[in-house]
Amino acid sequence: MMETVERFDQTEGYGHSLRNKYQVFEKLRATYGGDYARGQQKYSSGQHRIRFQLEPIGGDKEANIILVGVISANVTATDQYFNKTPSTYAWETSSHDWEDKTTIVENGQHKKVPKDKWAGAETGDILELIIDCDQQLIRIKNETRKTGDTMKVDLNNCPLPWKFIVIFSMYPDRAGSRLKLRPTVTRVTNSLGQTHHESKSDQGTFETRGRSSDSNGAFMVIDNSPDEELHHVIDGVYIGSQDAASNLPGLNECKITHILNVATGIENVFPDRYNYLNIELLDVPETNISKVFAQTNQFIEQALADNGCVLVHCNAGVSRSSSIVLAYLIGTRRMSYDDAYQLVKRARPNIRPNDGFVRQLKEYAAEK
């Protein structure tokens, strides 16, 4: 799961500004209505965690309305009523003299919910939003109040990619208030298992520490060229990227009959031509990849027993697919981790299982 530091590309509402398109909102005058900010990041696959705190600056103590959720990146809110805009999925807390309620928002439709389901949020609470594109849901956790909730997102109403949204409202008795997302240092794990830390400085600048030179701002491998080659590991077993899985001439040349897809968000290109096994795995050290070794080993072994050939692929062909092939060599061919790694490395030089996968593979080898 990726931990994300958000910045904002759109703000709407009455009388506020967003400093440097980052984490501070300012009420410039007393008005009646909501204020809104939408994140810059687009979420189309995988799981992402955004942790933040709504913190008052100055004399005001709380917001009247706090809403947190997602909206389709294809939708633009243009006024204070954005929280009623179709494609909005969120949780809203309202605290007024005349009402005190918690609400879920599904496709812009509000539904009051009991506080034993979602206790809501107040200024000062630390919140965590999980955006799970693969499962088509969002989760919210209030760390301060020890409550949380899960909401399913209908892709027909809120198509991917999604964006993070925050709304808050200060009413006239709170004129001149400010509210900000309190910056926290977050650890980001990229698709190669590398980690770095992101934060906002006291001066309001965006800082990154410990990022490897071979990754870019989107936390992906810097290589835009097609990677269509199928790399031969042993008789009948090939490894590659998602591009290789769509390379029909290459699949035919290698006589592929089975495809093992452990990518995230990649559909099978030729479902009528090949036997597929799909297991979506996140390429982060925390993923328990060892739990699928028995299933993937059996799939590869059965393909070979049927005189077939199997391609194992993930997104980049670097970490997940190589780990699955290594597990097969260790579990079925009784190779040591080092021997198996050298064999796969010779077949595809750019393999690099993340640190968590390496640890699990070595533990797996020790059990054999």
Side-chain angles (χ1 to χ4, degrees), residues 260-279:
L260 206 173
N261 178 359
V262 291
T264 299
I266 301 300
E267 296 182 357
N268 301 328
V269 181
F270 308 110
D272 297 329
R273 287 177 174 263
Y274 303 103
N275 295 313
Y276 281 90
L277 173 62
N278 291 73
I279 305 175

Side-chain angles (χ1 to χ4, degrees), residues 8 14 72 79 83-84 93 108 112 118 125 224 239-240 326:
F8 298 96
Y14 286 107
S72 176
D79 58 37
N83 59 331
K84 297 180 181 179
T93 305
K112 187 174 180 179
W118 165 239
D125 288 354
N224 296 320
I239 184 174
L326 288 168

Side-chain angles (χ1 to χ4, degrees), residues 44-226:
S44 56
S45 64
Q47 294 177 316
H48 308 265
R49 176 167 54 198
I50 305 169
R51 184 174 180 269
F52 56 97
Q53 182 178 31
L54 295 167
E55 180 186 17
I57 307 176
D60 295 310
K61 299 301 182 183
E62 62 179 307
N64 298 100
I65 296 176
I66 295 172
L67 178 144
V68 177
V70 298
I71 192 170
S72 176
N74 302 318
V75 173
T76 301
T78 58
D79 58 37
Q80 75 272 27
Y81 298 113
F82 97 97
N83 59 331
K84 297 180 181 179
T85 300
S87 96
T88 296
Y89 282 76
W91 292 267
E92 181 180 277
T93 305
S94 301
S95 301
H96 306 297
D97 294 338
W98 63 91
E99 68 175 347
D100 183 8
K101 67 179 182 179
T102 55
T103 304
I104 59 173
V105 182
E106 296 177 317
N107 196 33
Q109 301 296 313
H110 291 239
K111 178 181 178 183
K112 187 174 180 179
V113 295
K115 287 198 172 184
D116 58 356
K117 175 176 172 62
W118 165 239
E122 293 183 5
T123 304
D125 288 354
I126 297 175
L127 304 179
E128 178 181 272
L129 181 70
I130 305 295
I131 300 176
D132 190 335
C133 302
D134 299 336
Q135 299 299 319
Q136 300 170 20
L137 56 83
I138 54 176
R139 295 188 181 94
I140 194 167
K141 178 181 178 182
N142 189 322
E143 296 183 8
T144 304
R145 302 176 185 278
K146 310 299 183 185
T147 62
D149 193 26
T150 300
M151 185 184 305
K152 195 73 175 176
V153 179
D154 188 340
L155 294 186
N156 292 319
N157 299 323
C158 185
L160 296 167
W162 299 335
K163 287 195 171 189
F164 170 56
I165 54 173
V166 178
I167 184 174
F168 69 93
S169 180
M170 298 285 189
Y171 283 81
D173 59 334
R174 293 177 170 84
S177 66
R178 296 178 184 176
L179 191 67
K180 75 174 182 179
L181 294 182
R182 181 180 178 180
T184 57
V185 177
T186 58
R187 182 172 65 89
V188 178
T189 303
N190 68 12
S191 61
L192 300 177
Q194 300 165 332
T195 61
H196 66 271
H197 294 83
E198 295 182 345
S199 64
K200 181 188 175 188
S201 71
D202 293 337
Q203 291 73 38
T205 58
F206 185 64
E207 296 182 340
T208 301
R209 301 191 306 275
R211 176 178 290 174
S212 172
S213 60
D214 61 355
S215 63
N216 64 11
F219 319 128
M220 302 298 289
V221 182
I222 303 176
D223 186 358
N224 296 320
S225 60

Side-chain angles (χ1 to χ4, degrees), residues 1-3 47 187-195 264 281-289 319-320 354-357 359-360:
M1 182 182 301
M2 289 188 179
E3 295 191 43
Q47 294 177 316
R187 182 172 65 89
V188 178
T189 303
N190 68 12
S191 61
L192 300 177
Q194 300 165 332
T195 61
T264 299
L281 297 171
L282 291 177
D283 188 11
V284 294
E286 294 80 9
T287 295
N288 182 8
I289 195 172
S319 179
R320 286 163 289 187
N354 71 53
D355 292 341
F357 292 175
R359 175 183 54 78
Q360 294 175 66

